[in-house]
Amino acid sequence: MTLRDGSHISLWQETAASSIHPSTSSASKVDIIIAGAGITGLSTALMLQKSGKRCMILEAETIGYGTTGGTTAHLNTLLDTPYTTIIKNFGEDNARLVAQGAGQALAHIRENKEQYSIDCGFKNCKAYLFSQDEKQTKELQDIFDACGKVNLNIADESMIPVPVPFDRAMSVDCQGKFHPLRYIQALAEEFVRLGGIILEHMRVTGVTEEEHILNVETAGKIYVCDKLIYATHVPPGINLIHLRYTPLRSYAMAVTLKSDVYPEHLSYDMYDPYHYYRTQEIDGVKYLIVGGEDHKTGDDTNTEAQFSKLEAHIRKYFDVDEITHRWSSQYYDTTDGLPYIGVLPGHSDKFLVATGFGGNGMTYGTLSALVLKSIVFQEENPLIKLFSPSRIKPVAGFKSFVEHNTDVLKEVLSKFFSSDPNTGFADIAPTEGKVIDVDGRKIGIHKDELGSVHAVHAACTHMGCTVAWNQTEQSWDCPCHGARYSTDGKVLNGPADRDLEYVNVEILAEK
Ligand SMILES: Cc1cc2nc3c(=O)[nH]c(=O)nc-3n(C[C@H](O)[C@H](O)[C@H](O)COP(=O)(O)OP(=O)(O)OC[C@H]3O[C@@H](n4cnc5c(N)ncnc54)[C@H](O)[C@@H]3O)c2cc1C
């Protein structure tokens, strides 16, 4: 089984062999270092290695530890940001480029699967979008028209794959689905076969730039390269980019059905947040995977309730035999709806980044490999400008930027105007966590199953916002930029690159 940045075990984790790679290398200089071994890092590393660059992947934990191990792996050109919005924000020609790029990404996955005979349960399928009331039907019509404008292969549908009542439906052809961990593990094998180096348990903790090279610091050793690519889902440290995305959590369940009638295609309703449905067959067993109940990271502390709502939704429409897996994971929505792929703002062109994929990171993570290769080899590619992390869109995204960052401000102010009573931790039940105020300092208290108390300073090491308890994944989550920490303060998700400080619980107990 592979490891992941949450306490619930995803379907993918349990059905993939663990990856074992060394954590040191005698090589000290390579052409390109890629930080992060999710779908983005591995797709990019393999592509660059194949194109003649000597590459090294530095992964803080193990392959697939991030959201790639907690995804649901729909492979789409029908994107979360509707083409109506992409056309509004970027124009019709650019929206067509995005659709084309998404198509290239899916074609690239199909090619990899064929070329390396990857046994990842890949299947071509359609994606269905369906409306359930008048307002949604009007929106569906607009999306249908916009999908036509960007040349997707669309159709009106009178039936949908899932037993959910609907008003109107459309489909998009040439989509796909696969087992994400089996896919990326095969990419890793091929990368190593071509001479690439993968180091696990090797977090990038800092980088210094000299005239022609970068010194990439890790806990063990400094590695030297010409370029560094942050494929870490969000770049570590403090960067302008952190003000231009919102971290969100989404929930998923895998279930078996009594009837053996599993939907073959991908399906989506149109609520906000929406539900997403698909089937994956693994080692002869079929699983229906349903996701939804998304919320901003740190916003909803009763995260167990999200699973209850999702379960009720699934049971309402499907004859569930067994709930085999449930998990939640994190993604990042950008303010204007497109990802950031290119030079990290405020840095030289030696620093590249790929982030902000929303719920389409299988597609965009793969597309990042194609775009980053164009950047590295200075090839013409119109997506370089379109996805540039430094793009300035004064109107697009302004509303969500303000909405999200009002909360950031609230978080920062709350450090000064704290009203939390010092309730101590007697009223915290086992497995629960709570932030309390001790002499003006926010302390995160967690009781494990045995009642032992673990305490951390609750100020996120990224920019100082107060972390919130995530009951479902048993973690401390930052509502500002999405950093997450384990119960003992260890970084689970960036952008934080330092752990939360431990607190001496004996001293607290005396108060
Ligand atoms: C519940 C859920 C369902 C989703 N469903 C879909 C879907 O159906 N289709 C789709 O296309 N997308 C989906 N997404 C989004 C998609 O899964 C993600 O966008 C994608 O997995 C991101 O991949 P990544 O490689 O960029 O990042 P990750 O998979 O998060 O990998 C980043 C890696 O970087 C490592 N790392 C972090 N910091 C450092 C450091 N300093 N040094 C070294 N390594 C570091 C981490 O350990 C991690 O392994 C979903 C997301 C969620 C939350």
Side-chain angles (χ1 to χ4, degrees), residues 31-65:
D31 297 328
I32 300 178
I33 288 181
I34 294 106
I39 191 163
T40 308
L42 282 160
S43 307
T44 305
L46 177 56
M47 174 154 288
L48 293 173
Q49 185 78 23
K50 251 170 70 176
S51 310
K53 294 286 178 192
R54 282 175 310 124
C55 299
M56 174 188 276
I57 295 179
L58 298 177
E59 163 55 51
E61 300 294 337
T62 48
I63 288 180
Y65 185 81

PDB file of all heavy atoms in Angstrom, residues 31-65:
ATOM      1  N   ASP A  31      20.741  18.308 -14.830  1.00  0.00           N
ATOM      2  CA  ASP A  31      20.227  19.465 -15.591  1.00  0.00           C
ATOM      3  C   ASP A  31      19.006  20.067 -14.878  1.00  0.00           C
ATOM      4  O   ASP A  31      18.925  21.270 -14.678  1.00  0.00           O
ATOM      5  CB  ASP A  31      19.810  19.028 -17.006  1.00  0.00           C
ATOM      6  CG  ASP A  31      20.992  18.513 -17.820  1.00  0.00           C
ATOM      7  OD1 ASP A  31      22.112  19.018 -17.589  1.00  0.00           O
ATOM      8  OD2 ASP A  31      20.794  17.603 -18.647  1.00  0.00           O
ATOM      9  N   ILE A  32      18.068  19.187 -14.514  1.00  0.00           N
ATOM     10  CA  ILE A  32      16.798  19.698 -13.963  1.00  0.00           C
ATOM     11  C   ILE A  32      16.398  18.892 -12.737  1.00  0.00           C
ATOM     12  O   ILE A  32      16.415  17.658 -12.768  1.00  0.00           O
ATOM     13  CB  ILE A  32      15.673  19.621 -15.025  1.00  0.00           C
ATOM     14  CG1 ILE A  32      16.066  20.480 -16.239  1.00  0.00           C
ATOM     15  CG2 ILE A  32      14.340  20.101 -14.450  1.00  0.00           C
ATOM     16  CD1 ILE A  32      15.105  20.472 -17.374  1.00  0.00           C
ATOM     17  N   ILE A  33      16.043  19.613 -11.670  1.00  0.00           N
ATOM     18  CA  ILE A  33      15.467  18.949 -10.498  1.00  0.00           C
ATOM     19  C   ILE A  33      13.970  19.222 -10.489  1.00  0.00           C
ATOM     20  O   ILE A  33      13.536  20.368 -10.716  1.00  0.00           O
ATOM     21  CB  ILE A  33      16.126  19.435  -9.191  1.00  0.00           C
ATOM     22  CG1 ILE A  33      17.550  18.855  -9.099  1.00  0.00           C
ATOM     23  CG2 ILE A  33      15.300  19.026  -7.969  1.00  0.00           C
ATOM     24  CD1 ILE A  33      18.312  19.219  -7.858  1.00  0.00           C
ATOM     25  N   ILE A  34      13.210  18.178 -10.248  1.00  0.00           N
ATOM     26  CA  ILE A  34      11.753  18.328 -10.137  1.00  0.00           C
ATOM     27  C   ILE A  34      11.402  18.000  -8.692  1.00  0.00           C
ATOM     28  O   ILE A  34      11.703  16.905  -8.201  1.00  0.00           O
ATOM     29  CB  ILE A  34      11.025  17.352 -11.099  1.00  0.00           C
ATOM     30  CG1 ILE A  34      11.335  17.739 -12.560  1.00  0.00           C
ATOM     31  CG2 ILE A  34       9.519  17.391 -10.896  1.00  0.00           C
ATOM     32  CD1 ILE A  34      12.269  16.841 -13.247  1.00  0.00           C
ATOM     33  N   ALA A  35      10.792  18.946  -7.987  1.00  0.00           N
ATOM     34  CA  ALA A  35      10.346  18.692  -6.616  1.00  0.00           C
ATOM     35  C   ALA A  35       8.916  18.192  -6.684  1.00  0.00           C
ATOM     36  O   ALA A  35       8.044  18.876  -7.237  1.00  0.00           O
ATOM     37  CB  ALA A  35      10.427  19.965  -5.787  1.00  0.00           C
ATOM     38  N   GLY A  36       8.677  16.969  -6.143  1.00  0.00           N
ATOM     39  CA  GLY A  36       7.310  16.451  -6.122  1.00  0.00           C
ATOM     40  C   GLY A  36       7.123  15.311  -7.095  1.00  0.00           C
ATOM     41  O   GLY A  36       7.452  15.443  -8.281  1.00  0.00           O
ATOM     42  N   ALA A  37       6.595  14.183  -6.602  1.00  0.00           N
ATOM     43  CA  ALA A  37       6.371  13.012  -7.451  1.00  0.00           C
ATOM     44  C   ALA A  37       4.901  12.635  -7.472  1.00  0.00           C
ATOM     45  O   ALA A  37       4.510  11.530  -7.101  1.00  0.00           O
ATOM     46  CB  ALA A  37       7.233  11.846  -6.991  1.00  0.00           C
ATOM     47  N   GLY A  38       4.063  13.588  -7.883  1.00  0.00           N
ATOM     48  CA  GLY A  38       2.666  13.285  -8.209  1.00  0.00           C
ATOM     49  C   GLY A  38       2.592  13.162  -9.718  1.00  0.00           C
ATOM     50  O   GLY A  38       3.612  13.012 -10.403  1.00  0.00           O
ATOM     51  N   ILE A  39       1.370  13.279 -10.262  1.00  0.00           N
ATOM     52  CA  ILE A  39       1.237  13.129 -11.717  1.00  0.00           C
ATOM     53  C   ILE A  39       2.009  14.216 -12.453  1.00  0.00           C
ATOM     54  O   ILE A  39       2.603  13.966 -13.512  1.00  0.00           O
ATOM     55  CB  ILE A  39      -0.252  13.087 -12.154  1.00  0.00           C
ATOM     56  CG1 ILE A  39      -0.326  12.658 -13.625  1.00  0.00           C
ATOM     57  CG2 ILE A  39      -0.960  14.413 -11.915  1.00  0.00           C
ATOM     58  CD1 ILE A  39      -1.675  12.193 -14.087  1.00  0.00           C
ATOM     59  N   THR A  40       2.070  15.431 -11.869  1.00  0.00           N
ATOM     60  CA  THR A  40       2.753  16.531 -12.558  1.00  0.00           C
ATOM     61  C   THR A  40       4.253  16.289 -12.611  1.00  0.00           C
ATOM     62  O   THR A  40       4.876  16.390 -13.678  1.00  0.00           O
ATOM     63  CB  THR A  40       2.464  17.865 -11.827  1.00  0.00           C
ATOM     64  OG1 THR A  40       1.044  17.992 -11.679  1.00  0.00           O
ATOM     65  CG2 THR A  40       3.004  19.047 -12.582  1.00  0.00           C
ATOM     66  N   GLY A  41       4.840  15.968 -11.452  1.00  0.00           N
ATOM     67  CA  GLY A  41       6.287  15.776 -11.392  1.00  0.00           C
ATOM     68  C   GLY A  41       6.737  14.609 -12.256  1.00  0.00           C
ATOM     69  O   GLY A  41       7.716  14.714 -13.007  1.00  0.00           O
ATOM     70  N   LEU A  42       6.010  13.493 -12.174  1.00  0.00           N
ATOM     71  CA  LEU A  42       6.454  12.301 -12.912  1.00  0.00           C
ATOM     72  C   LEU A  42       6.239  12.452 -14.415  1.00  0.00           C
ATOM     73  O   LEU A  42       7.099  12.051 -15.203  1.00  0.00           O
ATOM     74  CB  LEU A  42       5.758  11.057 -12.364  1.00  0.00           C
ATOM     75  CG  LEU A  42       6.421  10.602 -11.053  1.00  0.00           C
ATOM     76  CD1 LEU A  42       5.510   9.724 -10.230  1.00  0.00           C
ATOM     77  CD2 LEU A  42       7.733   9.861 -11.338  1.00  0.00           C
ATOM     78  N   SER A  43       5.110  13.055 -14.826  1.00  0.00           N
ATOM     79  CA  SER A  43       4.881  13.265 -16.270  1.00  0.00           C
ATOM     80  C   SER A  43       5.963  14.175 -16.827  1.00  0.00           C
ATOM     81  O   SER A  43       6.509  13.939 -17.913  1.00  0.00           O
ATOM     82  CB  SER A  43       3.514  13.917 -16.520  1.00  0.00           C
ATOM     83  OG  SER A  43       2.500  13.187 -15.900  1.00  0.00           O
ATOM     84  N   THR A  44       6.287  15.232 -16.060  1.00  0.00           N
ATOM     85  CA  THR A  44       7.266  16.220 -16.536  1.00  0.00           C
ATOM     86  C   THR A  44       8.664  15.607 -16.563  1.00  0.00           C
ATOM     87  O   THR A  44       9.403  15.769 -17.548  1.00  0.00           O
ATOM     88  CB  THR A  44       7.247  17.447 -15.596  1.00  0.00           C
ATOM     89  OG1 THR A  44       5.900  17.931 -15.530  1.00  0.00           O
ATOM     90  CG2 THR A  44       8.153  18.550 -16.096  1.00  0.00           C
ATOM     91  N   ALA A  45       9.018  14.909 -15.493  1.00  0.00           N
ATOM     92  CA  ALA A  45      10.356  14.336 -15.403  1.00  0.00           C
ATOM     93  C   ALA A  45      10.596  13.341 -16.537  1.00  0.00           C
ATOM     94  O   ALA A  45      11.643  13.358 -17.194  1.00  0.00           O
ATOM     95  CB  ALA A  45      10.535  13.655 -14.051  1.00  0.00           C
ATOM     96  N   LEU A  46       9.595  12.478 -16.787  1.00  0.00           N
ATOM     97  CA  LEU A  46       9.775  11.476 -17.846  1.00  0.00           C
ATOM     98  C   LEU A  46       9.927  12.162 -19.202  1.00  0.00           C
ATOM     99  O   LEU A  46      10.801  11.807 -20.003  1.00  0.00           O
ATOM    100  CB  LEU A  46       8.583  10.506 -17.854  1.00  0.00           C
ATOM    101  CG  LEU A  46       8.579   9.444 -18.952  1.00  0.00           C
ATOM    102  CD1 LEU A  46       9.862   8.610 -18.933  1.00  0.00           C
ATOM    103  CD2 LEU A  46       7.369   8.530 -18.840  1.00  0.00           C
ATOM    104  N   MET A  47       9.094  13.168 -19.432  1.00  0.00           N
ATOM    105  CA  MET A  47       9.155  13.848 -20.733  1.00  0.00           C
ATOM    106  C   MET A  47      10.513  14.523 -20.947  1.00  0.00           C
ATOM    107  O   MET A  47      11.109  14.427 -22.016  1.00  0.00           O
ATOM    108  CB  MET A  47       8.028  14.878 -20.793  1.00  0.00           C
ATOM    109  CG  MET A  47       8.103  15.715 -22.030  1.00  0.00           C
ATOM    110  SD  MET A  47       6.518  16.332 -22.475  1.00  0.00           S
ATOM    111  CE  MET A  47       5.732  14.877 -23.064  1.00  0.00           C
ATOM    112  N   LEU A  48      11.037  15.172 -19.911  1.00  0.00           N
ATOM    113  CA  LEU A  48      12.314  15.875 -20.047  1.00  0.00           C
ATOM    114  C   LEU A  48      13.474  14.891 -20.166  1.00  0.00           C
ATOM    115  O   LEU A  48      14.410  15.101 -20.946  1.00  0.00           O
ATOM    116  CB  LEU A  48      12.525  16.831 -18.866  1.00  0.00           C
ATOM    117  CG  LEU A  48      11.550  18.011 -18.822  1.00  0.00           C
ATOM    118  CD1 LEU A  48      11.730  18.803 -17.534  1.00  0.00           C
ATOM    119  CD2 LEU A  48      11.746  18.928 -20.030  1.00  0.00           C
ATOM    120  N   GLN A  49      13.417  13.820 -19.391  1.00  0.00           N
ATOM    121  CA  GLN A  49      14.481  12.810 -19.454  1.00  0.00           C
ATOM    122  C   GLN A  49      14.519  12.193 -20.859  1.00  0.00           C
ATOM    123  O   GLN A  49      15.582  12.033 -21.453  1.00  0.00           O
ATOM    124  CB  GLN A  49      14.218  11.735 -18.382  1.00  0.00           C
ATOM    125  CG  GLN A  49      15.313  10.687 -18.243  1.00  0.00           C
ATOM    126  CD  GLN A  49      16.546  11.168 -17.470  1.00  0.00           C
ATOM    127  OE1 GLN A  49      16.457  12.111 -16.674  1.00  0.00           O
ATOM    128  NE2 GLN A  49      17.690  10.550 -17.727  1.00  0.00           N
ATOM    129  N   LYS A  50      13.326  11.899 -21.383  1.00  0.00           N
ATOM    130  CA  LYS A  50      13.243  11.317 -22.734  1.00  0.00           C
ATOM    131  C   LYS A  50      13.782  12.266 -23.797  1.00  0.00           C
ATOM    132  O   LYS A  50      14.294  11.861 -24.823  1.00  0.00           O
ATOM    133  CB  LYS A  50      11.756  11.052 -23.056  1.00  0.00           C
ATOM    134  CG  LYS A  50      11.408   9.600 -23.072  1.00  0.00           C
ATOM    135  CD  LYS A  50       9.923   9.369 -23.141  1.00  0.00           C
ATOM    136  CE  LYS A  50       9.275   9.718 -24.454  1.00  0.00           C
ATOM    137  NZ  LYS A  50       7.845   9.368 -24.475  1.00  0.00           N
ATOM    138  N   SER A  51      13.654  13.560 -23.505  1.00  0.00           N
ATOM    139  CA  SER A  51      14.094  14.570 -24.482  1.00  0.00           C
ATOM    140  C   SER A  51      15.568  14.914 -24.320  1.00  0.00           C
ATOM    141  O   SER A  51      16.053  15.869 -24.918  1.00  0.00           O
ATOM    142  CB  SER A  51      13.261  15.844 -24.334  1.00  0.00           C
ATOM    143  OG  SER A  51      11.917  15.538 -24.317  1.00  0.00           O
ATOM    144  N   GLY A  52      16.272  14.198 -23.445  1.00  0.00           N
ATOM    145  CA  GLY A  52      17.720  14.369 -23.383  1.00  0.00           C
ATOM    146  C   GLY A  52      18.242  15.117 -22.165  1.00  0.00           C
ATOM    147  O   GLY A  52      19.453  15.277 -22.012  1.00  0.00           O
ATOM    148  N   LYS A  53      17.350  15.597 -21.282  1.00  0.00           N
ATOM    149  CA  LYS A  53      17.818  16.275 -20.058  1.00  0.00           C
ATOM    150  C   LYS A  53      18.069  15.231 -18.969  1.00  0.00           C
ATOM    151  O   LYS A  53      17.326  14.257 -18.863  1.00  0.00           O
ATOM    152  CB  LYS A  53      16.770  17.277 -19.560  1.00  0.00           C
ATOM    153  CG  LYS A  53      16.539  18.451 -20.507  1.00  0.00           C
ATOM    154  CD  LYS A  53      17.679  19.416 -20.452  1.00  0.00           C
ATOM    155  CE  LYS A  53      17.497  20.586 -21.421  1.00  0.00           C
ATOM    156  NZ  LYS A  53      18.720  21.369 -21.588  1.00  0.00           N
ATOM    157  N   ARG A  54      19.089  15.487 -18.157  1.00  0.00           N
ATOM    158  CA  ARG A  54      19.327  14.597 -17.009  1.00  0.00           C
ATOM    159  C   ARG A  54      18.526  15.139 -15.834  1.00  0.00           C
ATOM    160  O   ARG A  54      18.745  16.276 -15.397  1.00  0.00           O
ATOM    161  CB  ARG A  54      20.823  14.548 -16.677  1.00  0.00           C
ATOM    162  CG  ARG A  54      21.610  13.650 -17.644  1.00  0.00           C
ATOM    163  CD  ARG A  54      23.093  13.692 -17.400  1.00  0.00           C
ATOM    164  NE  ARG A  54      23.550  15.076 -17.323  1.00  0.00           N
ATOM    165  CZ  ARG A  54      24.216  15.604 -16.294  1.00  0.00           C
ATOM    166  NH1 ARG A  54      24.495  14.880 -15.233  1.00  0.00           N
ATOM    167  NH2 ARG A  54      24.604  16.866 -16.318  1.00  0.00           N
ATOM    168  N   CYS A  55      17.599  14.348 -15.347  1.00  0.00           N
ATOM    169  CA  CYS A  55      16.652  14.864 -14.333  1.00  0.00           C
ATOM    170  C   CYS A  55      16.727  14.075 -13.037  1.00  0.00           C
ATOM    171  O   CYS A  55      17.031  12.877 -13.030  1.00  0.00           O
ATOM    172  CB  CYS A  55      15.218  14.784 -14.847  1.00  0.00           C
ATOM    173  SG  CYS A  55      14.943  15.755 -16.316  1.00  0.00           S
ATOM    174  N   MET A  56      16.375  14.784 -11.963  1.00  0.00           N
ATOM    175  CA  MET A  56      16.282  14.150 -10.642  1.00  0.00           C
ATOM    176  C   MET A  56      14.970  14.606 -10.001  1.00  0.00           C
ATOM    177  O   MET A  56      14.638  15.796 -10.046  1.00  0.00           O
ATOM    178  CB  MET A  56      17.458  14.615  -9.777  1.00  0.00           C
ATOM    179  CG  MET A  56      17.407  14.139  -8.340  1.00  0.00           C
ATOM    180  SD  MET A  56      18.702  14.927  -7.345  1.00  0.00           S
ATOM    181  CE  MET A  56      20.084  13.861  -7.687  1.00  0.00           C
ATOM    182  N   ILE A  57      14.236  13.656  -9.438  1.00  0.00           N
ATOM    183  CA  ILE A  57      13.022  14.012  -8.691  1.00  0.00           C
ATOM    184  C   ILE A  57      13.349  13.961  -7.204  1.00  0.00           C
ATOM    185  O   ILE A  57      13.887  12.958  -6.722  1.00  0.00           O
ATOM    186  CB  ILE A  57      11.874  13.021  -8.986  1.00  0.00           C
ATOM    187  CG1 ILE A  57      11.463  13.118 -10.458  1.00  0.00           C
ATOM    188  CG2 ILE A  57      10.681  13.293  -8.079  1.00  0.00           C
ATOM    189  CD1 ILE A  57      10.348  12.147 -10.833  1.00  0.00           C
ATOM    190  N   LEU A  58      13.022  15.030  -6.486  1.00  0.00           N
ATOM    191  CA  LEU A  58      13.140  15.027  -5.029  1.00  0.00           C
ATOM    192  C   LEU A  58      11.722  15.037  -4.470  1.00  0.00           C
ATOM    193  O   LEU A  58      10.974  15.995  -4.692  1.00  0.00           O
ATOM    194  CB  LEU A  58      13.908  16.260  -4.542  1.00  0.00           C
ATOM    195  CG  LEU A  58      15.355  16.392  -5.030  1.00  0.00           C
ATOM    196  CD1 LEU A  58      15.980  17.696  -4.540  1.00  0.00           C
ATOM    197  CD2 LEU A  58      16.192  15.202  -4.574  1.00  0.00           C
ATOM    198  N   GLU A  59      11.342  13.973  -3.803  1.00  0.00           N
ATOM    199  CA  GLU A  59       9.976  13.850  -3.260  1.00  0.00           C
ATOM    200  C   GLU A  59      10.056  13.875  -1.736  1.00  0.00           C
ATOM    201  O   GLU A  59      10.787  13.086  -1.133  1.00  0.00           O
ATOM    202  CB  GLU A  59       9.325  12.557  -3.783  1.00  0.00           C
ATOM    203  CG  GLU A  59       8.095  12.084  -3.009  1.00  0.00           C
ATOM    204  CD  GLU A  59       6.973  13.107  -2.876  1.00  0.00           C
ATOM    205  OE1 GLU A  59       6.550  13.673  -3.885  1.00  0.00           O
ATOM    206  OE2 GLU A  59       6.520  13.325  -1.718  1.00  0.00           O
ATOM    207  N   ALA A  60       9.286  14.778  -1.118  1.00  0.00           N
ATOM    208  CA  ALA A  60       9.341  14.938   0.336  1.00  0.00           C
ATOM    209  C   ALA A  60       8.974  13.659   1.076  1.00  0.00           C
ATOM    210  O   ALA A  60       9.520  13.375   2.144  1.00  0.00           O
ATOM    211  CB  ALA A  60       8.411  16.064   0.765  1.00  0.00           C
ATOM    212  N   GLU A  61       8.037  12.897   0.508  1.00  0.00           N
ATOM    213  CA  GLU A  61       7.599  11.663   1.176  1.00  0.00           C
ATOM    214  C   GLU A  61       7.814  10.485   0.217  1.00  0.00           C
ATOM    215  O   GLU A  61       8.926  10.072   0.039  1.00  0.00           O
ATOM    216  CB  GLU A  61       6.131  11.785   1.608  1.00  0.00           C
ATOM    217  CG  GLU A  61       5.872  12.922   2.588  1.00  0.00           C
ATOM    218  CD  GLU A  61       6.530  12.731   3.950  1.00  0.00           C
ATOM    219  OE1 GLU A  61       6.807  11.581   4.311  1.00  0.00           O
ATOM    220  OE2 GLU A  61       6.771  13.737   4.648  1.00  0.00           O
ATOM    221  N   THR A  62       6.732   9.978  -0.369  1.00  0.00           N
ATOM    222  CA  THR A  62       6.865   8.875  -1.336  1.00  0.00           C
ATOM    223  C   THR A  62       6.007   9.204  -2.558  1.00  0.00           C
ATOM    224  O   THR A  62       5.137  10.081  -2.496  1.00  0.00           O
ATOM    225  CB  THR A  62       6.386   7.537  -0.718  1.00  0.00           C
ATOM    226  OG1 THR A  62       5.117   7.764  -0.101  1.00  0.00           O
ATOM    227  CG2 THR A  62       7.343   7.020   0.333  1.00  0.00           C
ATOM    228  N   ILE A  63       6.220   8.471  -3.628  1.00  0.00           N
ATOM    229  CA  ILE A  63       5.475   8.713  -4.874  1.00  0.00           C
ATOM    230  C   ILE A  63       3.958   8.664  -4.615  1.00  0.00           C
ATOM    231  O   ILE A  63       3.478   7.740  -3.952  1.00  0.00           O
ATOM    232  CB  ILE A  63       5.863   7.648  -5.926  1.00  0.00           C
ATOM    233  CG1 ILE A  63       7.279   7.925  -6.419  1.00  0.00           C
ATOM    234  CG2 ILE A  63       4.883   7.619  -7.077  1.00  0.00           C
ATOM    235  CD1 ILE A  63       7.753   6.929  -7.449  1.00  0.00           C
ATOM    236  N   GLY A  64       3.231   9.662  -5.099  1.00  0.00           N
ATOM    237  CA  GLY A  64       1.776   9.674  -4.982  1.00  0.00           C
ATOM    238  C   GLY A  64       1.262  10.083  -3.608  1.00  0.00           C
ATOM    239  O   GLY A  64       0.078   9.949  -3.328  1.00  0.00           O
ATOM    240  N   TYR A  65       2.144  10.621  -2.767  1.00  0.00           N
ATOM    241  CA  TYR A  65       1.766  10.982  -1.392  1.00  0.00           C
ATOM    242  C   TYR A  65       0.769  12.157  -1.362  1.00  0.00           C
ATOM    243  O   TYR A  65      -0.036  12.276  -0.451  1.00  0.00           O
ATOM    244  CB  TYR A  65       3.033  11.369  -0.626  1.00  0.00           C
ATOM    245  CG  TYR A  65       2.822  11.658   0.835  1.00  0.00           C
ATOM    246  CD1 TYR A  65       2.743  10.624   1.759  1.00  0.00           C
ATOM    247  CD2 TYR A  65       2.717  12.967   1.295  1.00  0.00           C
ATOM    248  CE1 TYR A  65       2.556  10.886   3.103  1.00  0.00           C
ATOM    249  CE2 TYR A  65       2.528  13.243   2.637  1.00  0.00           C
ATOM    250  CZ  TYR A  65       2.445  12.195   3.534  1.00  0.00           C
ATOM    251  OH  TYR A  65       2.260  12.459   4.868  1.00  0.00           O
TER     252      TYR A  65
END
